[in-house]
Amino acid sequence: ALVTEDVRELLADTRFATAEIIPTSVVSGAGLERLRQAIADLAQTANPRPQTDLFRLPVDRSFTVKGTGTVVTGTVWSGSLSLDQTVRIMPYGASARARGLQNHGHTVDRITPGMRAAVALAGVDTGAVGRGATLVTLPGWEATLIVRADLTLLDNAPELRPRTKVQLHLATADVGARVVAAGSPVAPGSSRTVRIALDEPIMARAGDRFVLRSASPLATIGGGVITDSNAPRRAKPMSSLNLGTRERLHLFVSESGIRGLAESSLAVRLGVSASEAAVMAQDAAVVRVGSRLYAAPVVAEAGGRVLELVRAHHEQRPLDSGAPRQDIRSRLGVDVALFDRLVAALAKDGRLEATGAELRLPGRAPALSDQQRKLGDELSAAIEGAGHEPPSVGELETRFGPQTPALLRHLERERRVVQVENNRYYAPAVVQELLHRLEGGMAGRGEVAPAELRDVLGFSRKFLIPFLEYCDRAGSTRRQGTGRIWRGK
């Protein structure tokens, strides 16, 4: 009775103040049956954790069993694992097959939440997995060096400053850490939102509980709950304690900016089930493109940036018919799916024209000044006058100035020159004459060797091969064996 009173007094200021106390004796066995029944009754009222959640098993031991190989033990925190499933060993990233499963020494085909389990792993050495590692199955899990959390310090804890070294204990991981709160250090007895930088990568999920201990002397000083399991490198602490799931989703998507947030990471970073994550991805403030999520204002701003880049290209290169699509995407720094979505939306609104590989503002067309038109006429005449062996673009640029490449592209759009190779243009009439020669020398002959074609065209090899490759692209000839045949297109 005295012991019971002492325990009741000790628990007076805790949430166990009214909990039932069952006296027992390991000597006589008194009270043990009543204790077993009380535990069984509590188990009946507990809500079982869903087996459909993401699988996770923190490893507390690893060893080698003769004839079996590497074996790890731990408690299944969530989800389930079946025999022969592939697991990822995090934070190291190695993969292995679950070749055997046991629960308290009994062989099973499946392990589920709350089970103590031994997992025999095929394809991995014991040294590659140890205490602090975690077995997972789905790709949404990522190792992290920075987490955000709601932290509470004990009344007798030291003040935590950004450079104060502490130990963080989460599952079976035990790593050095530093705690940063916004504006001021974390005072003893207070609860704060914090950012925690870790000395080594760990596996965490929003909702996980952790313990902080001082490095010296080694003592428990507080604990808390993870609110972001994989925070950005320069992330600030959350704006308030107990921030809701939807508010955290909006924050994560906003922080991801133009890179977007992988939808597969939501279940881990938000601490929700995969089905809940799928529903949350439909949030009205979130734009879903492919497998990534973006904040609606970020997408709107990116659309405006596309227009700015296209407009700048028109100003810098007024003779171009449009801005290269790939160049604009590269300068914007977004993936293909988002860029295509932006272009399609702008085109639908009538703010952009997209034709093949080019983008242009509506109604925009290249316009030549009188001086440029005169220079274009001179370029065309020079190319035509050179006949079968016209000068290169570089040679023309030396003669006619830096506008030459843009003017040549404009002349090609007007079909006043033909680009036969990357660095050389021909007059259209000359190309037709050369094709006529080829037809006369090749039609009906089957395969014709390059040496014969050089005689037909009167070319040196410098001009012959590029022209024949142009003919292949145009469909007039086709490579066959060591020569070419005439196709006549």
Side-chain angles (χ1 to χ4, degrees):
L2 291 177
V3 173
T4 300
E5 290 177 6
D6 289 343
V7 172
R8 181 71 68 193
E9 183 178 350
L10 185 66
L11 299 176
D13 296 328
T14 73
R15 63 191 180 97
F16 302 109
T18 59
E20 181 182 5
I21 298 175
I22 301 174
T24 61
S25 171
V26 294
V27 177
S28 65
L32 292 181
E33 185 58 37
R34 184 182 169 196
L35 176 61
R36 292 190 189 98
Q37 187 60 49
I39 294 173
D41 292 343
L42 283 174
Q44 292 296 321
T45 63
N47 293 322
R49 283 175 282 177
Q51 299 182 20
T52 55
D53 197 6
L54 310 183
F55 173 73
R56 175 168 52 154
L57 183 149
V59 174
D60 51 38
R61 282 199 309 151
S62 66
F63 46 89
T64 301
V65 175
K66 187 175 181 180
T68 299
T70 300
V71 176
V72 299
T73 62
T75 300
V76 181
W77 273 34
S78 61
S80 62
L81 180 71
S82 299
L83 194 65
D84 290 327
Q85 254 189 287
T86 298
V87 297
R88 295 164 62 213
I89 303 166
M90 302 297 287
Y92 315 112
S95 296
R97 177 175 60 86
R99 64 188 298 180
L101 301 173
Q102 285 192 349
N103 171 233
H104 293 302
H106 299 288
T107 299
V108 295
D109 293 330
R110 193 164 180 248
I111 53 176
T112 57
M115 274 191 176
R116 281 293 300 173
V119 182
L121 299 175
V124 65
D125 294 332
T126 306
V129 53
R131 183 177 179 83
T134 303
L135 302 187
V136 299
T137 53
L138 297 180
W141 296 97
E142 293 183 15
T144 182
L145 282 168
I146 299 175
V147 298
R148 287 185 277 205
D150 290 347
L151 171 67
T152 298
L153 287 188
L154 298 176
D155 292 338
N156 60 350
E159 181 180 73
L160 290 189
R161 295 180 174 274
R163 295 186 179 277
T164 304
K165 294 291 292 183
V166 295
Q167 290 295 119
L168 181 140
H169 299 260
L170 194 161
T172 57
D174 173 11
V175 298
R178 290 177 293 109
V179 177
V180 178
S184 62
V186 185
S190 67
S191 294
R192 298 282 299 277
T193 62
V194 296
R195 171 182 178 273
I196 304 176
L198 307 167
D199 292 348
E200 301 173 43
I202 65 169
M203 297 301 296
R205 186 181 188 184
D208 285 352
R209 297 182 179 276
F210 63 91
V211 171
L212 281 190
R213 307 189 77 188
S214 57
S216 180
L218 194 61
T220 299
I221 60 174
V225 178
I226 301 293
T227 54
D228 180 7
S229 61
N230 208 321
R233 182 177 295 275
R234 299 186 181 278
K236 296 179 180 179
M238 297 288 183
S239 58
S240 63
L241 292 166
N242 304 312
L243 203 62
T245 307
R246 193 162 301 281
E247 288 79 6
R248 286 187 289 127
L249 169 66
H250 294 169
L251 172 64
F252 299 163
V253 172
S254 177
E255 288 178 337
S256 70
I258 205 67
R259 301 179 309 280
L261 179 69
E263 185 178 354
S264 61
S265 71
L266 289 187
V268 176
R269 285 192 72 181
L270 294 174
V272 298
S273 67
S275 59
E276 290 173 316
V279 172
M280 298 196 71
Q282 308 301 321
D283 190 281
V286 173
V287 178
R288 182 182 182 183
V289 182
S291 61
R292 303 194 75 78
L293 307 176
Y294 303 85
V298 169
V299 174
E301 182 181 345
R305 180 65 178 148
V306 170
L307 295 177
E308 290 175 5
L309 291 171
V310 172
R311 184 177 293 108
H313 185 92
H314 291 336
E315 292 173 355
Q316 294 164 9
R317 306 182 69 171
L319 297 182
D320 286 1
S321 60
R325 187 185 188 108
Q326 180 57 35
D327 178 61
I328 298 300
R329 187 185 77 82
S330 177
R331 294 174 66 184
L332 188 63
V334 300
D335 66 18
V336 174
L338 177 59
F339 187 73
D340 289 347
R341 166 84 171 254
L342 294 172
V343 170
L346 292 169
K348 183 178 180 181
D349 292 344
R351 293 190 287 167
L352 190 70
E353 292 180 0
T355 56
E358 288 189 332
L359 306 175
R360 66 177 65 88
L361 298 181
R364 196 269 177 188
L368 299 182
S369 65
D370 291 341
Q371 182 181 3
Q372 289 171 332
R373 190 164 296 281
K374 178 182 177 182
L375 187 59
D377 292 340
E378 292 175 0
L379 273 170
S380 179
I383 291 171
E384 186 174 0
H388 302 163
E389 297 188 352
S392 68
V393 173
E395 291 167 335
L396 289 171
E397 190 171 3
T398 300
R399 179 178 172 186
F400 292 100
Q403 294 188 73
T404 297
L407 283 169
L408 286 171
R409 290 191 294 270
H410 183 77
L411 291 173
E412 184 189 23
R413 289 192 295 270
E414 292 187 339
R415 300 185 179 181
R416 295 174 62 187
V417 296
V418 177
Q419 187 176 25
V420 168
E421 57 179 299
N422 185 52
N423 198 37
R424 203 173 304 274
Y425 291 79
Y426 282 62
V430 172
V431 171
Q432 290 303 313
E433 179 191 346
L434 292 171
L435 289 174
H436 183 69
R437 289 189 188 183
L438 279 179
E439 183 178 10
M442 297 179 68
R445 294 186 54 191
E447 182 183 329
V448 183
E452 295 179 75
L453 295 176
R454 182 175 58 194
D455 294 336
V456 170
L457 295 172
F459 274 166
S460 66
R461 187 172 180 83
K462 173 182 176 181
F463 290 89
L464 174 67
I465 299 303
F467 187 78
L468 292 178
E469 290 175 345
Y470 163 77
C471 293
D472 294 341
R473 294 193 302 273
S476 299
T477 59
R478 185 180 69 206
R479 291 192 65 174
Q480 180 170 299
T482 58
R484 281 174 170 80
I485 62 172
W486 178 253
R487 298 179 65 186
K489 291 185 178 181

